[in-house]
CSV table of all heavy atoms in Angstrom, one decimal:
chain,number,residue,atom,x,y,z
A,26,LYS,N,3.9,7.1,-15.3
A,26,LYS,CA,5.2,7.8,-15.3
A,26,LYS,C,5.2,8.9,-14.2
A,26,LYS,O,4.3,9.7,-14.2
A,26,LYS,CB,5.4,8.4,-16.7
A,26,LYS,CG,6.9,8.1,-17.2
A,26,LYS,CD,7.1,8.7,-18.5
A,26,LYS,CE,8.2,8.1,-19.1
A,26,LYS,NZ,8.5,8.7,-20.5
A,27,ILE,N,6.4,8.9,-13.4
A,27,ILE,CA,6.5,10.0,-12.5
A,27,ILE,C,7.9,10.4,-12.7
A,27,ILE,O,8.8,9.7,-12.5
A,27,ILE,CB,6.3,9.5,-11.0
A,27,ILE,CG1,4.8,8.9,-10.8
A,27,ILE,CG2,6.6,10.7,-10.0
A,27,ILE,CD1,3.7,9.9,-10.6
A,247,ILE,N,-4.3,7.4,-9.6
A,247,ILE,CA,-3.2,7.9,-10.3
A,247,ILE,C,-3.6,9.1,-11.0
A,247,ILE,O,-2.7,10.1,-11.2
A,247,ILE,CB,-2.7,6.7,-11.3
A,247,ILE,CG1,-2.1,5.6,-10.6
A,247,ILE,CG2,-1.8,7.3,-12.4
A,247,ILE,CD1,-1.9,4.2,-11.4
A,248,LYS,N,-4.8,9.2,-11.5
A,248,LYS,CA,-5.2,10.4,-12.2
A,248,LYS,C,-5.1,11.6,-11.3
A,248,LYS,O,-4.7,12.7,-11.7
A,248,LYS,CB,-6.7,10.2,-12.6
A,248,LYS,CG,-7.3,11.2,-13.6
A,248,LYS,CD,-8.7,10.9,-13.9
A,248,LYS,CE,-9.6,11.5,-12.9
A,248,LYS,NZ,-11.0,11.2,-13.1
A,249,PHE,N,-5.3,11.5,-10.1
A,249,PHE,CA,-5.4,12.6,-9.1
A,249,PHE,C,-3.9,12.9,-8.7
A,249,PHE,O,-3.7,14.1,-8.3
A,249,PHE,CB,-6.2,12.3,-7.9
A,249,PHE,CG,-7.7,12.7,-8.2
A,249,PHE,CD1,-8.6,11.6,-8.4
A,249,PHE,CD2,-8.2,13.9,-8.2
A,249,PHE,CE1,-9.9,11.8,-8.7
A,249,PHE,CE2,-9.5,14.2,-8.4
A,249,PHE,CZ,-10.3,13.1,-8.6
A,250,PHE,N,-3.0,12.0,-8.7
A,250,PHE,CA,-1.7,12.4,-8.0
A,250,PHE,C,-0.5,12.5,-9.1
A,250,PHE,O,0.4,13.1,-8.8
A,250,PHE,CB,-1.2,11.4,-7.0
A,250,PHE,CG,-0.7,10.1,-7.4
A,250,PHE,CD1,0.7,10.0,-8.0
A,250,PHE,CD2,-1.4,8.9,-7.2
A,250,PHE,CE1,1.2,8.7,-8.4
A,250,PHE,CE2,-0.9,7.7,-7.6
A,250,PHE,CZ,0.4,7.6,-8.1
A,251,LYS,N,-0.7,12.0,-10.3
A,251,LYS,CA,0.4,11.9,-11.2
A,251,LYS,C,1.0,13.2,-11.7
A,251,LYS,O,2.2,13.4,-11.8
A,251,LYS,CB,0.2,10.9,-12.3
A,251,LYS,CG,-0.6,11.5,-13.5
A,251,LYS,CD,-0.5,10.5,-14.7
A,251,LYS,CE,-1.1,11.2,-15.8
A,251,LYS,NZ,-2.1,10.6,-16.6
A,252,ASN,N,0.2,14.2,-11.8
A,252,ASN,CA,0.7,15.5,-12.0
A,252,ASN,C,0.7,16.5,-10.8
A,252,ASN,O,0.9,17.6,-11.0
A,252,ASN,CB,-0.2,16.2,-13.2
A,252,ASN,CG,-0.2,15.4,-14.3
A,252,ASN,OD1,0.9,15.0,-14.8
A,252,ASN,ND2,-1.3,15.1,-14.9
A,253,ASP,N,0.5,15.9,-9.7
A,253,ASP,CA,0.6,16.7,-8.4
A,253,ASP,C,1.0,16.0,-7.3
A,253,ASP,O,0.3,16.0,-6.3
A,253,ASP,CB,-0.9,17.4,-8.3
A,253,ASP,CG,-0.9,18.3,-6.9
A,253,ASP,OD1,0.0,18.9,-6.6
A,253,ASP,OD2,-2.1,18.3,-6.3
A,254,VAL,N,2.2,15.3,-7.4
A,254,VAL,CA,2.7,14.4,-6.3
A,254,VAL,C,2.6,15.0,-4.9
A,254,VAL,O,2.3,14.5,-3.9
A,254,VAL,CB,4.0,13.9,-6.6
A,254,VAL,CG1,4.6,13.1,-5.5
A,254,VAL,CG2,3.8,12.8,-7.9
A,255,LYS,N,3.1,16.4,-4.9
A,255,LYS,CA,3.2,17.1,-3.5
A,255,LYS,C,2.0,17.7,-3.1
A,255,LYS,O,2.0,18.6,-2.2
A,255,LYS,CB,4.5,18.0,-3.7
A,255,LYS,CG,5.8,17.2,-3.9
A,255,LYS,CD,7.0,17.9,-3.5
A,255,LYS,CE,8.1,16.9,-3.5
A,255,LYS,NZ,9.4,17.6,-3.7
A,258,ASN,N,-2.6,20.8,-5.5
A,258,ASN,CA,-3.7,20.9,-6.4
A,258,ASN,C,-4.6,19.9,-6.4
A,258,ASN,O,-5.2,19.5,-5.3
A,258,ASN,CB,-3.3,21.3,-7.7
A,258,ASN,CG,-4.2,22.1,-8.5
A,258,ASN,OD1,-5.4,22.1,-8.2
A,258,ASN,ND2,-3.7,22.8,-9.6
A,259,GLU,N,-4.8,19.1,-7.5
A,259,GLU,CA,-5.8,18.1,-7.5
A,259,GLU,C,-5.7,16.9,-6.7
A,259,GLU,O,-6.6,16.3,-6.3
A,259,GLU,CB,-6.1,17.7,-8.9
A,259,GLU,CG,-4.9,16.9,-9.6
A,259,GLU,CD,-4.2,17.6,-10.7
A,259,GLU,OE1,-3.8,18.7,-10.5
A,259,GLU,OE2,-4.1,17.0,-11.8
Side-chain angles (χ1 to χ4, degrees):
K26 222 178 198 178
I27 301 281
I247 292 169
K248 190 179 88 186
F249 279 101
F250 79 74
K251 76 168 189 227
N252 297 316
D253 181 29
V254 169
K255 294 205 172 150
N258 203 336
E259 70 249 53

